[in-house]
Amino acid sequence: GAMRWRRGDRAQAREAFAQALRRVERHPLASIGWAAAGSDGLQPPTLGGSEDPQPRTIADVAIARAVALTLGGRRVEAGRLVDDALAASPPGNAAWVLPVEPLLAVEGPEWDAALARLRSRAA
């Protein structure tokens, strides 16, 4: 879904995100991508009561919110949000997906602080 989104194919992106949601109901990034790709007022597909895929950390929530901000054209806010979440996170692997998350397309100066903090946490 993310790759189709980045190529500008919203219809195929929506279908790919819907497939992901049929497999993992309430997947945060697939849910955001599905809605951003143009849900046309439809409800996201469900599996009928599956559990949340995993507990959420400060960084997980920040990544999901950053995706929503990025898809809405608010990349500076997204970068700041993730940097703040990393600063507030306990030691560990928080936000390790940041450089490779395709919905974020982390590049440019708005991500410099978050990427620097992530590098220092990994050292």
Side-chain angles (χ1 to χ4, degrees):
M3 299 315 292
R4 289 178 173 147
W5 170 274
R6 290 185 67 189
R7 282 188 236 135
D9 188 347
R10 301 299 188 252
Q12 289 296 313
R14 182 173 52 187
E15 178 53 32
F17 289 127
Q19 287 178 24
L21 289 168
R22 283 192 282 279
R23 289 178 177 88
V24 181
E25 184 179 9
R26 293 185 299 255
H27 186 283
L29 302 185
S31 297
I32 292 165
W34 184 83
S39 62
D40 297 331
L42 302 172
Q43 293 296 313
T46 65
L47 292 171
S50 69
E51 294 300 315
D52 203 14
Q54 59 189 4
R56 303 281 176 250
T57 65
I58 295 168
D60 291 338
V61 171
I63 293 282
R65 288 182 179 158
V67 165
L69 288 168
T70 297
L71 296 180
R74 297 165 56 191
R75 294 178 55 80
V76 171
E77 288 177 65
R80 192 174 314 122
L81 176 73
V82 173
D83 186 43
D84 291 347
L86 282 168
S89 294
N93 62 352
W96 68 270
V97 301
L98 183 63
V100 296
E101 173 49 55
L103 284 172
L104 288 175
V106 176
E107 53 191 31
E110 61 271 21
W111 292 103
D112 288 350
L115 288 172
R117 192 177 304 275
L118 187 62
R119 276 191 301 275
S120 71
R121 290 172 58 89

